[in-house]
Amino acid sequence: MLTIQALAKLSGVSTRTLRYYDEIGLLTPSAYSEAGYRLYTQREIDILQHILFYRALDVRLEEIKQIIYNDKFNVQQALQSHRTQLMHKQQQIQKLIKTLDTMLGGVNMSNTDKFEAFKSKKIKENEAQYGQEIRAKYGEKAVAEANQNFMGLSEEAYHKAQEIEQRLFLLLQQRGDQRSIANLHKEWLCYFMPQYSEDLHKGIVTGYLADDRFIKYYDTKAGEGATQYLVEAVCQ
């Protein structure tokens, strides 16, 4: 067993942070010494490694807790997912560095090239926030195709998708015509999903209600109850 000081030295995580992880139930020691000191086994060391992987991907602590203590949590799948997402992050950082180097070198860039790095950044953010769930629901191939489709968007298409989403928010805020809302959401979704189907569309929006992050996103943009109204519009 390791003391909290030994685990801090091994992992590079401060003892203060380890105590906080214990307080919130994210990383609880297996035992305590007679003097009341926290003691950690190999199990806690392995859990801490996963926590650090998810933190490197900017996943919130509460979400990490839900993931790693889920009965369906699979270590091998998690490790593969960590690797895939970190590779995406590495590629995104490399593209941003390349963009900056090009600009610092005084080379004129096309508008398409200017936006490529930032589209990569958007994919990275989505991976960090939703990657685990969407892979579980739709599979690695579907996610890869969606990312590829998004990266292939022209600057014009990228801005068009943003414009459609803003129109969607406005219509949701007004609790407007549900058919129009459903069509707008479909139009927006088709920019990112290469293979559209009505069943897939309904499945995606229904999933919004099971995830507080989506509810917060739409309700913040278009008012409380907007997510529910969107789901009703698509599934009517």
Side-chain angles (χ1 to χ4, degrees):
M1 289 189 179
L2 297 180
T3 64
I4 192 170
Q5 289 81 8
L7 182 58
K9 183 177 180 180
L10 175 68
S11 65
V13 178
S14 70
T15 55
R16 181 178 179 180
T17 298
L18 291 173
R19 290 190 185 96
Y20 178 66
Y21 286 175
D22 183 13
E23 289 173 11
I24 64 174
L26 182 61
L27 185 68
T28 304
S30 283
Y32 290 86
S33 69
E34 292 183 2
Y37 295 113
R38 294 171 175 83
L39 298 174
Y40 297 88
T41 65
Q42 186 63 48
R43 176 179 178 273
E44 286 78 53
I45 294 172
D46 293 341
I47 290 174
L48 180 58
Q49 182 185 45
H50 285 293
I51 292 171
L52 296 180
F53 276 134
Y54 283 117
R55 290 301 291 150
L57 296 167
D58 301 320
V59 181
R60 294 185 298 113
L61 293 179
E62 177 142 353
E63 294 173 36
I64 296 174
K65 184 178 176 181
Q66 292 173 357
I67 292 169
I68 63 178
Y69 291 111
N70 189 307
D71 291 338
K72 297 180 180 178
F73 181 70
N74 182 291
V75 173
Q76 289 302 315
Q77 288 180 2
L79 290 173
Q80 184 59 51
S81 178
H82 292 326
R83 186 181 188 283
T84 299
Q85 293 180 57
L86 286 170
M87 289 296 293
H88 283 307
K89 186 174 184 178
Q90 180 187 49
Q91 291 167 8
Q92 185 265 329
I93 291 172
Q94 288 174 339
K95 287 180 179 179
L96 285 174
I97 292 173
K98 182 179 178 181
T99 299
L100 287 171
D101 286 344
T102 302
M103 294 173 70
L104 288 169
V107 177
N108 290 327
M109 300 178 67
S110 69
N111 288 332
T112 299
D113 289 339
K114 288 178 183 177
F115 281 93
E116 182 179 0
F118 295 99
K119 287 191 289 185
S120 295
K121 183 175 183 292
K122 183 65 176 176
I123 288 177
K124 175 256 178 182
E125 291 171 351
N126 289 339
E127 283 286 345
Q129 195 165 15
Y130 309 114
Q132 187 86 359
E133 294 94 330
I134 61 177
R135 278 176 168 76
K137 288 181 180 179
Y138 307 115
E140 185 73 38
K141 182 179 179 182
V143 175
E145 288 178 350
N147 288 342
Q148 184 178 7
N149 197 58
F150 179 64
M151 283 301 299
L153 290 180
S154 65
E155 180 188 358
E156 180 182 358
Y158 179 77
H159 287 303
K160 181 65 175 176
Q162 291 184 313
E163 178 190 327
I164 290 169
E165 189 175 39
Q166 291 304 313
R167 287 164 52 199
L168 173 64
F169 292 149
L170 180 60
L171 206 54
L172 282 171
Q173 191 174 27
Q174 297 169 344
R175 298 300 187 266
D177 177 65
Q178 288 192 322
R179 184 177 295 277
S180 298
I181 288 173
N183 287 336
L184 274 176
H185 193 265
K186 173 185 175 180
E187 190 176 354
W188 173 83
L189 189 64
C190 284
Y191 278 94
F192 309 100
M193 299 296 292
Q195 301 295 331
Y196 173 86
S197 73
E198 187 174 331
D199 287 342
L200 177 61
H201 191 182
K202 290 179 179 180
I204 288 173
V205 296
T206 301
Y208 289 175
L209 293 178
D211 194 319
D212 289 340
R213 292 167 298 182
F214 285 103
I215 294 174
K216 181 180 178 181
Y217 179 73
Y218 283 101
D219 284 16
T220 299
K221 298 288 187 180
E224 186 176 352
T227 314
Q228 178 67 48
Y229 196 77
L230 171 61
V231 175
E232 291 173 359
V234 173
C235 295
Q236 64 179 344

